[in-house]
Amino acid sequence: MASPQDHAYHLLNEYSNGFMVSQVLFAACELGVFDLLAEAPEPLDSAAVVARLGTSSHGTELLLDTCASLKLLKVEVRGGKAFYQNTELSSTYLSRGSPVSQRNMLLYTARTTYRCWGHLAEAVREGKNQYLQAFGVPSEELFSAIYRSEGERLRFTRGLQEVWSVCGRSVLAAFDLSQFPLICDLGGGGGALARECVSLYPACKVTVFDTPQVVRLAKEHCSLLEEGRLGFCEGDFFKDPLPEADLYILARILHDWTDDKCSGLLQRIRRTCKPAEHVVALT
């Protein structure tokens, strides 16, 4: 029987090596391992994966075997060769073609969030985020790091769409929102949550309020507009007039800002909304 010390040491190793698991997942997504196996008509051996991805033999074998050990891939040995295919987890959430794929959000996490967490000790010492060290932009300019290129802005927007494709409907169904004919989704990005809302509540109209760059991107790439029931409004919710609504939704918004900023935003909403006002904050 394992001693308490053995358990503690195992836990220590699990914690200290956790970043390696994340990097295996991120690398396999970036290289297209799960997409390739999803499209293949049968399991592939490592040589076939190498040929199609243009990666090194040794590195690919190690990555595939590690994915198998993490239950991200299934492996079957035939004639002395290992053949790989996706598990239910990777087919559902990691392949590009799945309707609930989380690939873009994972790549955003790998390229933005992960880099920030590499400066956690400095963040604790200084009491502020480390975007300057990680990306070369001032810490006050929060979304300058997230939106540092058109490609990253699109990836982040699509990543949020992916998140809401999994949990958006259940979140919105937790309360009966049918009593609110006009709804405003502040910082609603590409409109994925808004689309779930109009689908769930046919009598509601939803306006997504976001920056001009995000609204333009949503209209160009997200294909989420529903004539007459889902619309977009451009602006800065800290400064510009807010659309009038019966219900305001702030989904994954308040955690980005200081308490003072959040208080100011909520006060602006309180002054704008109708007498029977409601605000829903989703974290």
Side-chain angles (χ1 to χ4, degrees), residues 52-95:
R52 299 185 195 188
L53 296 184
T55 50
S56 71
S57 297
H58 182 59
T60 302
E61 288 178 11
L62 291 175
L63 181 63
L64 293 173
D65 286 340
T66 305
C67 284
S69 74
L70 296 171
K71 298 180 171 57
L72 299 174
L73 295 179
K74 291 186 285 190
V75 60
E76 177 187 355
V77 179
R78 301 197 306 263
K81 279 188 176 182
F83 291 82
Y84 303 88
Q85 60 182 319
N86 285 337
T87 61
E88 182 180 357
L89 183 158
S90 51
S91 293
T92 303
Y93 296 116
L94 302 178
S95 61

Side-chain angles (χ1 to χ4, degrees), residues 16 41 43 69 79 99 116 137 139 141 153-154 182 196 205 222 250 252 280:
S16 63
S69 74
C116 291
V137 300
S139 61
E141 298 176 15
R153 182 185 289 116
L154 179 59
L182 293 177
E196 293 291 340
K205 294 183 179 180
C222 295
L250 293 91
R252 301 172 67 102
V280 177

Side-chain angles (χ1 to χ4, degrees), residues 1 8 21 55 72 80 153 164 176 195 215 224 258 264 268:
M1 179 177 284
V21 176
T55 50
L72 299 174
R153 182 185 289 116
W164 295 128
D176 180 10
R195 185 175 186 178
V215 170
L224 292 175
T258 64
R268 297 194 79 229

Side-chain angles (χ1 to χ4, degrees), residues 3 33 42 55-56 62 78 99 120 122 155 184 191-192 194 202 214-216 221 260 278:
S3 69
V33 170
E42 58 184 5
T55 50
S56 71
L62 291 175
R78 301 197 306 263
L120 180 59
E122 293 94 327
R155 186 179 307 285
C184 180
V214 172
V215 170
R216 175 182 55 77
H221 297 283
D260 287 344
H278 285 77

